[in-house]
Amino acid sequence: MTGPVSGEPVRGGSTARTATRDDVGGILLLLALALTFRAIIAYLLPGSGFQVDLDAFRFWAGDLFREGLGGFYERPFFHDYTPGYLYVLWLVGAVGSIFGGIGDLIKVPPMLADLALAYLAWSMALELGAGRRAARLAAVLVAVNPVTWFDSVVWGQVDSVGLVFLLLGMRELWRDRPERAAVLTVVGAMIKPQLGILVPIVAAVTIRRALWPAGGHGDEDAPERRRTTTDWEWRTRGSIRILTTGLAGLLPSILLSLPFGLSWPVGLVEQIFKTAGGYPYVSVNAWNPWALVTLNGTGVAENRGWVCDMVVTEGARCSQAFTIGAIPAVIVGTVLTLAVFIAVSVLVARRPDRRTILVGLAVLALAFFVVPTRVHERYLFPFVALGAILAAVSVRWLIAYLASSAATFANMYFVLTTLYPNNPSIDDWLGIGPGIGSWTGVAIAAAIQAGVFVFAFSELRRSASWRLAREIEAGASAAVDDDLAPPVAARSGDPVPRDPGNATVSGAGFGAVLAAASAAGLASPAAPAPPGSVRPAWDARPSSGEIGLFGWLRDRIGERPIRPDRTAGLEHEGGGRLDRLDVWLIVVLAAVLLTGRIWRLGEPYQMHFDEVYHPRTATEFLQFWRYGISHHVYEWTHPHLAKYGMALGIVAWGEDRTDETSDLGVAIRAAVLEPRWDDARSNSRVAGDRLWIATGEELRAYDLATRRLELALPIPGAVAVSLDKVTHRV
């Protein structure tokens, strides 16, 4: 951390500060709204997504549940995923078997993972030392970022699931628990191999802290021990941590591979390289600098074509390849990528505090999209969460984050809606596909991503790290000041507002507390407190991360209030004003009502149970009130007041009034209406409804649209017939 005035490093953790900013209620409400928003999108676009991947996911899920995990990779069908996500697909297949099919259940795991990402962005921003507003902003940036919901709900992809493990692994590295970090990192890489970008940072930081412990946490002190940290993790230091961390990283790769019969490490490595080797092109629809490359008039930006990055003789796929001099593009991209990864790992290891680890991982996420070849359009997805934490505490990072997210969304939108237009429930809704996919659009997106990468790399400088620390500290201090500032219209004798749990207050925030205490007559220790008065309490509340969500709820519910009862003093107080909290509650209520109460209000379209009888009884009442026709009322088991209301509604809005009468000139024995359709398979009318009339001698059919007699059939013997069941076509 750094001081807000001098800018020099301030050593110390932020456990107490983190506890003060525990805002579980607000974040849970945000997550509920985010889930509702995603559910509505899934409902409006049923079955949407990239058809090839959706078919593969659904087929794999069903096959895994029916046939089991063993021998999956030997079965005669296409499979290009490593084992990590296949466990999730097995669970989806099991649930789908209960509901009679998988369908859009395939989207549920990534939708839930989106919520987990927003929660982690919030909690990790707090752990980094940010204020409550900044932490909420981090969660909002993840939850509303179109890259997240477009990827999981519309596209049906699974990137967010692996990213959850990536963030958890980085958080464990922050907490100096490298074994756990290694396990989570490898699990994320087993879900998506490109999420292995955290592996070199875990290795570099672990080695640094084990062999050169002095300054092993950069500008910060070693983190405080958490309740979930074991004695072994807390005591063990030195080179043994390198060995245990390496073994911990190997363990999940072995355990996740064995149930599939995938040999380790040969089979697993072959599967990873098989997937990467399937796309030997400089860019696979990714709008990075390689997308601007052309070969014989072909290129991603030029005409949406793929350019080979090396010569592949098998199948004659790549008889020519793009080279820089005599070096194939794949070699150039690989060497540059390794150089960036090594440089970032060294810079992070020199100063492995939480800020530097976060920035370093963000740089590697950007580098893995900008520098190598064979990159897909969704490879920059990790930056959606990593960048959100940084964007919440720094305006510079916020600008970079928004620019990169806009370029990524444009890239994904074009690929799904325009490049591959025959996907279910997918269309170029905004009508911008051809425009953003032009050479100029691709070039702008590639320049943005390259520029953000250069900016992020420059943020690894020590001066930039201190600047980021000052920004975090300034935001946190402002948040504390807002919490501790006395009311504008405070009267003498009003109690000083209780600090929400901050054990250590510094800078301007502490000055505000002293000023408020002096104004209330509480600053002087010599002045005895009046009997029964309540002094401000500055204890640190435990956070949900320390005592769990249910423990946090119990603590808040059972907490004794320290404010005195001011009901009598407020009896003659004037009216209030509309503040931001009121506006926020109005917005939340409107969103909940529009989504939970009005959504699908018109369904079901058919009546069920008692709904069948209530409108019928209402019309029976109307029959007597309007026309004096009295007969037996069918349903008497429920009170009739609601049915009276229905009858009034029919009169007011039912449009059942008699607009015109006609004299048919015959005695009518029975009558019935028949809807008129062109055929049994179409829902388009070609004429008006028919009115069937039974007279004493004929059965007549009138077209109500044209008011013409269409048909007249004699009734033998002048026998009256019942028309209650006339439903056929004549």
Side-chain angles (χ1 to χ4, degrees):
M1 303 293 291
T2 60
V5 179
S6 66
E8 294 302 316
V10 176
R11 309 185 66 83
S14 61
T15 303
R17 189 179 295 278
T18 301
T20 68
R21 299 181 179 89
D22 198 78
D23 190 19
V24 177
I27 193 64
L28 290 181
L29 177 61
L30 172 64
L31 297 182
L33 293 176
L35 180 60
T36 303
F37 175 65
R38 283 160 170 76
I40 293 175
I41 295 176
Y43 171 77
L44 296 177
L45 300 174
S48 67
F50 190 55
Q51 186 67 53
V52 176
D53 286 349
L54 286 178
D55 290 344
F57 291 155
R58 289 169 181 151
F59 178 81
W60 293 345
D63 179 83
L64 287 167
F65 178 71
R66 291 189 306 270
E67 306 297 332
L69 306 180
F72 174 81
Y73 289 99
E74 283 73 40
R75 294 170 197 159
F77 51 78
F78 175 77
H79 26 57
D80 64 343
Y81 262 56
T82 44
Y85 194 68
L86 299 183
Y87 288 92
V88 179
L89 292 180
W90 175 87
L91 181 59
V92 172
V95 176
S97 67
I98 300 175
F99 291 97
I102 295 175
D104 277 346
L105 284 175
I106 208 73
K107 297 182 179 180
V108 173
M111 289 169 59
L112 297 178
D114 283 350
L115 307 185
L117 289 179
Y119 177 87
L120 285 172
W122 167 78
S123 64
M124 293 177 72
L126 291 176
E127 191 163 338
L128 191 64
R132 285 184 311 206
R133 292 179 182 175
R136 292 172 188 166
L137 176 59
V140 169
L141 288 175
V142 174
V144 306
N145 192 325
V147 174
T148 58
W149 54 260
F150 190 82
D151 184 82
S152 59
V153 188
V154 179
W155 198 322
Q157 294 295 338
V158 303
D159 302 271
S160 56
V161 178
L163 184 53
V164 169
F165 289 92
L166 182 76
L167 291 183
L168 291 173
M170 183 180 68
R171 188 172 69 173
E172 292 302 323
L173 195 61
W174 282 4
R175 298 173 177 178
D176 198 18
R177 300 192 288 203
E179 292 85 3
R180 302 191 193 195
V183 170
L184 293 166
T185 299
V186 173
V187 171
M190 292 288 283
I191 294 174
K192 284 277 190 177
Q194 55 266 33
L195 295 176
I197 55 177
L198 183 56
V199 171
I201 291 183
V202 171
V205 173
T206 302
I207 293 172
R208 161 63 197 271
R209 289 175 177 173
L211 302 183
W212 299 280
H217 296 276
D219 296 331
E220 302 170 335
D221 288 332
E224 298 178 3
R225 180 175 180 176
R226 310 181 73 86
R227 291 191 309 113
T228 54
T229 302
T230 64
D231 291 337
W232 185 90
E233 288 176 308
W234 182 249
R235 292 195 306 264
T236 304
R237 292 291 182 267
S239 57
I240 188 66
R241 298 306 291 267
I242 301 175
L243 178 61
T244 56
T245 302
L247 293 176
L250 293 178
L251 187 61
S253 66
I254 298 173
L255 295 180
L256 293 177
S257 300
L258 287 180
F260 290 90
L262 193 64
S263 63
W264 189 93
V266 177
L268 178 61
V269 174
E270 286 181 351
Q271 181 63 32
I272 295 174
F273 278 93
K274 174 184 175 183
T275 302
Y279 300 95
Y281 308 101
V282 295
S283 175
V284 189
N285 298 328
W287 290 357
N288 58 15
W290 290 106
L292 307 181
V293 167
T294 59
L295 180 64
N296 299 328
T298 298
V300 171
E302 186 68 26
N303 57 6
R304 308 173 186 176
W306 294 353
V307 177
C308 294
D309 64 356
M310 64 178 294
V311 175
V312 179
T313 57
E314 180 182 355
R317 279 194 302 171
C318 293
S319 57
Q320 288 183 305
F322 183 81
T323 61
I324 298 179
I327 306 175
V330 65
I331 301 298
V332 175
T334 302
V335 171
L336 291 176
T337 303
L338 290 175
V340 171
F341 271 60
I342 293 172
V344 170
S345 300
V346 170
L347 291 174
V348 171
R350 289 179 58 190
R351 202 173 55 256
D353 50 52
R354 290 170 297 180
R355 301 185 311 275
T356 306
I357 292 173
L358 174 60
V359 173
L361 187 56
V363 172
L364 293 187
L366 289 160
F368 201 73
F369 181 85
V370 173
V371 180
T373 62
R374 308 188 180 189
V375 174
H376 293 255
E377 65 283 337
R378 293 176 289 110
Y379 275 21
L380 196 50
F381 192 87
F383 188 67
V384 170
L386 297 170
I389 302 173
L390 293 164
V393 297
S394 170
V395 175
R396 296 170 295 115
W397 276 102
L398 178 61
I399 296 173
Y401 179 81
L402 295 177
S404 177
S405 296
T408 301
F409 177 71
N411 192 173
M412 295 171 56
Y413 181 90
F414 172 79
V415 170
L416 185 63
T417 66
T418 308
L419 184 61
Y420 304 117
N422 298 321
N423 293 304
S425 300
I426 298 295
D427 195 7
D428 182 7
W429 303 285
L430 303 178
I432 60 175
I436 62 177
S438 64
W439 193 95
T440 302
V442 176
I444 292 175
I448 289 175
Q449 304 292 24
V452 173
F453 165 65
V454 173
F455 158 77
F457 195 91
S458 68
E459 289 294 295
L460 286 172
R461 295 171 296 130
R462 180 179 288 271
S463 59
S465 178
W466 286 358
R467 181 179 179 182
L468 179 62
R470 290 194 297 270
E471 290 172 322
I472 295 172
E473 181 70 18
S477 298
V480 172
D481 290 346
D482 290 342
D483 293 334
L484 299 178
V488 176
R491 297 185 295 270
S492 176
D494 286 348
V496 180
R498 171 181 175 168
D499 175 54
N502 188 24
T504 57
V505 184
S506 60
F510 187 63
V513 174
L514 292 179
S518 299
L522 299 174
S524 174
S533 65
V534 179
R535 290 277 189 172
W538 308 101
D539 57 317
R541 289 174 172 172
S543 68
S544 61
E546 295 172 338
I547 61 177
L549 177 60
F550 293 105
W552 180 89
L553 291 173
R554 287 194 301 269
D555 181 71
R556 294 301 184 270
I557 293 174
E559 188 176 50
R560 180 180 177 182
I562 66 170
R563 293 174 181 265
D565 185 1
R566 299 177 56 201
T567 306
L570 298 175
E571 183 175 351
H572 301 290
E573 189 176 45
R577 58 185 177 83
L578 185 69
D579 59 14
R580 289 179 297 177
L581 179 59
D582 300 321
V583 174
W584 169 245
L585 290 175
I586 292 173
V587 171
V588 170
L589 286 174
V592 171
L593 292 176
L594 290 175
T595 54
R597 297 296 183 91
I598 299 179
W599 179 49
R600 301 182 67 179
L601 187 61
E603 298 181 17
Y605 299 109
Q606 299 82 21
M607 293 185 293
H608 297 275
F609 304 110
D610 291 342
E611 298 172 1
V612 174
Y613 307 117
H614 294 174
R616 171 177 172 175
T617 306
T619 58
E620 289 168 345
F621 284 133
L622 280 178
Q623 210 170 13
F624 174 71
W625 298 340
R626 280 184 167 182
Y627 309 114
I629 303 174
S630 178
H631 57 75
H632 174 71
V633 175
Y634 180 78
E635 197 275 317
W636 289 92
T637 58
H638 292 81
H640 293 317
L641 183 60
K643 302 163 193 174
Y644 296 158
M646 290 185 181
L648 295 176
I650 293 173
V651 172
W653 301 291
E655 298 184 0
D656 64 333
R657 299 175 181 83
T658 301
D659 297 323
E660 185 179 349
T661 60
S662 299
D663 187 0
L664 299 181
V666 294
I668 300 174
R669 301 289 184 87
V672 69
L673 286 173
E674 178 195 15
R676 178 77 170 270
W677 309 91
D678 58 346
D679 58 61
R681 294 169 298 177
S682 174
N683 289 335
S684 60
R685 295 184 175 180
V686 296
D689 296 339
R690 278 194 179 121
L691 173 65
W692 290 85
I693 299 295
T695 70
E697 301 177 351
E698 292 180 318
L699 180 64
R700 298 184 179 185
Y702 291 89
D703 187 334
L704 292 182
T706 61
R707 302 192 178 103
R708 292 184 304 178
L709 177 64
E710 285 191 336
L711 192 64
L713 299 176
I715 300 177
V719 178
V721 298
S722 173
L723 300 180
D724 290 343
K725 297 182 179 180
V726 174
T727 57
H728 61 281
R729 311 296 188 261
V730 177

